Amino acid sequence: MRSDPTPTTRVLYLAGWGRSGSTLAESLLDQVPDLVGVGEIKFLWERGLQQNRRCSCGTPLRSCDFWVQVLKEAFGGIPGDAEAGRLDAASRRFRTRHLPGLLLRSAGPPDTEELRWYFGVLRRLYAAVAEVSGAKVVVDSSKFPSYLTALLRVPGLDLRVAHIVRDPRAVAYSWQRLKHDPDAPNGALMPRMHPGFTALYWSAWNLATERIARRAGLPYFRFRYEDLVADPAGTVRSVTRLSGVPEAELPLDGRGELLVRPTHQVSGNPVRFRSGAVPLRLDDEWTTRMPSRHRYLTGAVTVPLRHRYGYRDS
Ligand SMILES: [Zn+2]
């Protein structure tokens, strides 16, 4: 047997298209003692370090005790603006610009010294998150298929993919909502997108995620947002099994609320700022409020993947 002295860090990659419920899923997974949910690591350099946006604990990232400890463990100190900029630039080599390419081949920039440095940094970062949190598995909800292709090239990671999907009509409706973003500079709204584009992205992202995971032979589990809300304990158990750690009881109270402890998530949906009792209710406002032309457009564009995921015409 080959002896490998290199320690590995287990990373559960939470994949899926935006507004599919990944932030809620991450908050649930974070309740499992062996898992730690740290948000969208892809954005640590730009939104976290350069813009010093708030961690989900409410503290600006550069002052958050958890992240300060992680960054000291990984780098000996908090990277300055120039280094954070260099890391962000490296992460942008894995952008979604040519998503169709990801469906056809393992697209990715060639190996350069700069990228090898970047991969080394990521390796140290994930190891430091595990070390400081004491968790066995780091949950990264970056979601991007393109960033998953970057992680495939980081040495010392034991990668597993939990892929969340949601009815594309609900997703398209959510992308149309006017929603305040408490995280954005200058009190901006969350980005909006036309249902036609949302539907195209929904199909391409989900297909790309499946294909990248399959091609790389990664352990993979797909689950639906609707099932997570209907049966949080059962769904979290399945994802926990994929993570290879013992199952744990979720802190659910009798009213179907989850008692969420404060987390340290970088970026993500504003619901990450909630802690305490968080209601687990299906958000299905789209079924009554979505204009029918948007519903038909989204429904038509997302066939046949929508049918394969069990979302029927309605
Ligand atoms: Zn924090």
Side-chain angles (χ1 to χ4, degrees), residues 171-312:
V171 172
Y173 179 73
S174 177
W175 275 99
Q176 280 280 287
R177 273 178 180 162
L178 285 170
K179 233 180 187 174
H180 173 64
D181 183 355
D183 190 32
N186 310 320
L189 294 172
M190 292 191 55
R192 297 175 73 207
M193 196 184 277
H194 188 275
F197 285 113
T198 312
L200 287 171
Y201 268 110
W202 183 91
S203 304
W205 270 55
N206 286 319
L207 266 180
T209 300
E210 284 188 36
R211 294 206 178 164
I212 292 163
R214 188 168 357 130
R215 204 180 286 137
L218 299 177
Y220 170 91
F221 176 71
R222 185 174 62 244
F223 62 104
R224 307 191 325 167
Y225 157 79
E226 295 81 0
D227 298 329
L228 178 71
V229 176
D231 178 16
T235 310
V236 166
R237 252 199 313 277
S238 301
V239 181
T240 306
R241 269 198 293 275
L242 173 77
S243 313
V245 295
E247 295 165 10
E249 287 295 313
L250 283 182
L252 289 163
D253 70 9
R255 290 169 299 174
E257 291 181 328
L258 177 79
L259 301 171
V260 176
R261 60 181 180 194
T263 55
H264 296 286
Q265 298 178 19
V266 179
S267 196
N269 192 286
V271 300
R272 77 185 190 283
F273 290 111
R274 287 190 303 191
S275 61
V278 172
L280 289 171
R281 261 194 303 273
L282 183 69
D283 175 1
D284 61 355
E285 196 179 284
W286 71 276
T287 57
T288 51
R289 303 283 300 275
M290 189 177 195
S292 53
R293 65 180 192 287
H294 287 169
R295 183 192 293 225
Y296 292 128
L297 172 67
T298 312
V301 171
T302 52
V303 167
L305 194 60
R306 173 167 64 84
H307 287 172
R308 182 149 71 76
Y309 290 166
Y311 298 117
R312 312 312 305 175

Side-chain angles (χ1 to χ4, degrees), residues 30-108:
D30 190 67
Q31 308 302 313
V32 178
D34 286 324
L35 307 182
V36 62
V38 284
E40 303 176 5
I41 294 277
K42 174 183 161 57
F43 294 111
L44 175 64
W45 319 116
E46 184 199 25
R47 297 181 188 170
L49 287 175
Q50 290 185 300
Q51 299 174 356
N52 200 24
R53 293 194 191 185
R54 283 185 301 150
C55 172
S56 61
C57 69
T59 310
L61 192 116
R62 283 176 170 278
S63 322
C64 160
D65 285 345
F66 175 78
W67 282 107
V68 167
Q69 271 190 66
V70 166
L71 294 167
K72 280 187 178 158
E73 170 79 23
F75 311 111
I78 301 175
D81 259 1
E83 197 176 358
R86 195 177 152 203
L87 286 161
D88 183 49
S91 78
R92 285 172 189 273
R93 303 291 306 280
F94 295 89
R95 269 198 288 197
T96 313
R97 209 179 271 159
H98 301 297
L99 190 60
L102 284 174
L103 294 169
L104 302 172
R105 60 185 188 281
S106 296

